[in-house]
Amino acid sequence: MLYQLFTWLKQTFNVPGAGMFQFLTFRIAMAILLSLLIATVYGKRVILFLQRKQIGESVRDLGLEGQTQKKGTPTMGGIIILLSILVPTLLFANLDKVYIRLMVLCTVWLGVIGFLDDHFKIRARKAAQAKGETYKKKDSDGLAGVSKIIGQIGLGIIISTTLYFSNAVTVEREVIGNVFVKDSVLHRGEHFAKDSNIVVKKIDGVERKFVRVKTPITTIPFVKNHEFNYSRLLTWIGEGAEKYTWIIYTIIITLIITAVSNGANLTDGLDGLAAGTSAIIGAGIGLFVYLSGNYKFADYLNIMYIPNLGELSIFVGAFVGACIGFLWYNAYPAQVFMGDTGSLALGGIIASLAVIVRKEWLIPIFCGVFLVENLSVIIQVSYFKYTKKKYGEGRRVFLMSPLHHHYQKKGFHENKIVLRFWIVTVLLMIASIVTLKIR
């Protein structure tokens, strides 16, 4: 909003200082500062409001150290994160860009799903208290699991089909030589973007030609050209099968968004764990966004240049600022929990950003903590059911799942577990960045 306003003031009245909003780095810095300000200053007011409404966490008796101390801590603090992301983005980003619109939709969509889940849990607790009963937290008290999955799948379909079909979502291909030959530029499943023309850019003093194309490619690590075309998955069908690429692309992207969203939800079990991990991942993705959105850096690193991507750096800046600001109150001992309102949104945002910047196949690396948390639950449940069927009693691989509870059971203080998970995430993010040059 402010971007459009100051652009109009600059063009119409030539107001001094209005041109600052044309600089991307200025708007990124402002988005980070404002998100931090909202989370730290106004976050306290949200916490007080949640306390007045008796929106506190109900804790299951899992036999974990310090567990009872968390009882009654305000939950639904994800509202702080959502506001800290959305307000700076709406103020400083160019809302005409498709990537910004998609991320605003993703944030609101998953925030609403998480909010409903938290609301139903709180309603069940208050109903039990009104009857004079002792409330015991159950998964069935919240939004039905099937409903959450349907909501996540719906978002995945919207994001994937928009990215696949929108003419505003393109990459640039270099035109080699003086003669423009279609086959020398396009690969399988690709076509020129609507109204696409050859653009001449001077890079290191040399004029080079580029053209924008619609393509189902993504980045894949540890291979020579760093690119993978989703159309290759359909080559076994025969000639012309690439026209169905959008189906396989939609399925894969939807699965990724759903899996990462739920992975972040499972990770939100210790004070500061999900918020801190998400902030680190967000900072790394922000670097990917900035590099891929700048054709000079993209050319130097030999990675795909994605036009109009730079604007997304503002959203990422607000996202990182919101996570760090939330840690002001969520770090041990937590004064507020994000609840599903925050955790579902964090995972979905990270997945959607990775897909937009075409780094979704790096998710198993930089979201390694989310992946391991997910796998620990799957392994624990599967092995318990298998051994119960085979031996008549269920056996466990971990002392408790998700994995962070396993370490709690082993006697590690939750603060140490959180810090070590953060360190692991930093190392994994660095490894992901290094893959840009490893071929």
Side-chain angles (χ1 to χ4, degrees):
M1 295 178 182
L2 289 181
Y3 172 79
Q4 280 83 359
L5 173 62
F6 279 89
T7 300
W8 177 76
L9 289 174
K10 176 68 176 176
Q11 294 174 349
T12 307
F13 302 105
N14 196 26
V15 175
M20 288 292 292
F21 278 78
Q22 299 302 312
F23 293 98
L24 183 62
T25 49
F26 171 76
R27 289 185 286 133
I28 293 172
M30 292 301 295
I32 295 173
L33 289 174
L34 183 57
S35 63
L36 284 168
L37 182 67
I38 293 172
T40 53
V41 176
Y42 291 95
K44 184 64 176 178
R45 298 184 183 183
V46 174
I47 294 171
L48 293 174
F49 172 79
L50 294 173
Q51 288 174 335
R52 286 196 302 269
K53 295 295 182 179
Q54 296 182 336
I55 302 176
E57 180 70 11
S58 299
V59 181
R60 294 177 183 173
D61 185 10
L62 301 175
L64 298 171
E65 182 183 353
Q67 180 184 8
T68 56
Q69 299 171 4
K70 299 178 184 290
K71 187 175 182 180
T73 302
T75 187
M76 295 179 74
I79 295 172
I80 300 171
I81 297 175
L82 299 181
L83 290 175
S84 301
I85 294 172
L86 292 173
V87 173
T89 300
L90 294 175
L91 287 177
F92 296 110
N94 182 352
L95 303 180
D96 294 331
K97 302 298 183 183
V98 64
Y99 298 128
I100 294 295
R101 292 182 178 183
L102 279 177
M103 291 314 304
V104 170
L105 172 67
C106 174
T107 305
V108 174
W109 187 293
L110 291 175
V112 169
I113 293 174
F115 178 86
L116 290 174
D117 188 48
D118 288 335
H119 172 69
F120 291 151
K121 290 175 183 175
I122 293 165
R123 188 177 65 178
R125 175 177 60 81
K126 288 184 176 180
Q129 290 174 345
K131 296 177 183 178
E133 301 173 355
T134 302
Y135 175 69
K136 293 184 179 180
K137 188 176 180 180
K138 297 177 291 185
D139 290 331
S140 59
D141 291 336
L143 190 66
V146 174
S147 299
K148 285 195 281 189
I149 294 296
I150 290 173
Q152 291 166 329
I153 290 174
L155 177 66
I157 292 173
I158 292 173
I159 290 177
S160 56
T161 52
T162 301
L163 293 176
Y164 192 89
F165 291 109
S166 174
N167 196 62
V169 180
T170 62
V171 300
E172 285 196 353
R173 292 286 191 196
E174 185 171 6
V175 179
I176 306 297
N178 295 322
V179 181
F180 181 74
V181 182
K182 179 178 178 180
D183 293 339
S184 67
V185 178
L186 298 180
H187 301 301
R188 187 182 182 95
E190 297 181 347
H191 62 271
F192 294 115
K194 186 179 179 181
D195 300 325
S196 178
N197 297 310
I198 294 179
V199 178
V200 178
K201 297 179 180 178
K202 184 170 286 189
I203 302 176
D204 296 330
V206 179
E207 288 190 349
R208 295 163 63 179
K209 302 174 183 177
F210 297 88
V211 64
R212 294 187 179 185
V213 300
K214 288 289 300 174
T215 174
I217 64 169
T218 188
T219 302
I220 189 168
F222 312 122
V223 296
K224 188 174 182 180
N225 62 4
H226 261 206
E227 292 182 1
F228 174 75
N229 191 322
Y230 282 103
S231 295
R232 292 182 184 176
L233 298 174
L234 300 176
T235 53
W236 59 277
I237 296 178
E239 199 68 32
E242 58 269 11
K243 64 183 177 182
Y244 300 110
T245 303
W246 71 273
I247 298 176
I248 195 73
Y249 179 80
T250 299
I251 293 172
I252 292 173
I253 299 308
T254 300
L255 287 173
I256 289 172
I257 291 174
T258 302
V260 179
S261 179
N262 288 319
N265 191 27
L266 289 173
T267 304
D268 183 34
L270 298 178
D271 296 350
L273 179 55
T277 303
S278 297
I280 296 166
I281 295 171
I285 293 178
L287 180 61
F288 286 138
V289 169
Y290 191 80
L291 295 176
S292 295
N294 185 299
Y295 72 88
K296 291 185 178 179
F297 288 131
D299 180 72
Y300 173 75
L301 294 169
N302 195 23
I303 58 177
M304 69 178 78
Y305 167 63
I306 306 175
N308 301 317
L309 190 65
E311 197 72 22
L312 196 60
S313 301
I314 297 168
F315 178 90
V316 178
F319 174 77
V320 174
C323 291
I324 294 174
F326 185 71
L327 281 173
W328 187 269
Y329 300 107
N330 185 239
Y332 181 85
Q335 297 171 256
V336 66
F337 299 137
M338 68 174 68
D340 284 9
T341 306
S343 60
L344 286 176
L346 289 183
I349 288 170
I350 288 171
S352 300
L353 287 172
V355 170
I356 288 173
V357 79
R358 303 183 189 241
K359 298 291 185 292
E360 64 266 27
W361 292 108
L362 289 177
I363 286 178
I365 302 177
F366 60 72
C367 285
V369 169
F370 293 169
L371 176 63
V372 170
E373 295 276 42
N374 252 334
L375 289 177
S376 68
V377 173
I378 294 171
I379 292 170
Q380 185 86 321
V381 173
S382 301
Y383 187 70
F384 185 87
K385 290 181 177 179
Y386 168 75
T387 53
K388 187 173 184 179
K389 184 177 180 180
K390 186 172 183 178
Y391 303 110
E393 63 174 2
R395 300 176 184 177
R396 294 174 171 82
V397 177
F398 306 101
L399 297 177
M400 184 179 287
S401 64
L403 188 62
H404 54 261
H405 288 326
H406 169 77
Y407 289 113
Q408 275 189 292
K409 284 286 190 179
K410 293 190 74 172
F412 289 91
H413 191 277
E414 69 171 281
N415 214 18
K416 178 169 284 189
I417 298 170
V418 169
L419 287 173
R420 288 184 175 178
F421 273 45
W422 287 359
I423 292 170
V424 169
T425 304
V426 170
L427 295 175
L428 291 173
M429 199 70 241
I430 292 172
S432 301
I433 295 170
V434 169
T435 62
L436 293 176
K437 297 301 292 181
I438 297 178
R439 303 179 188 278

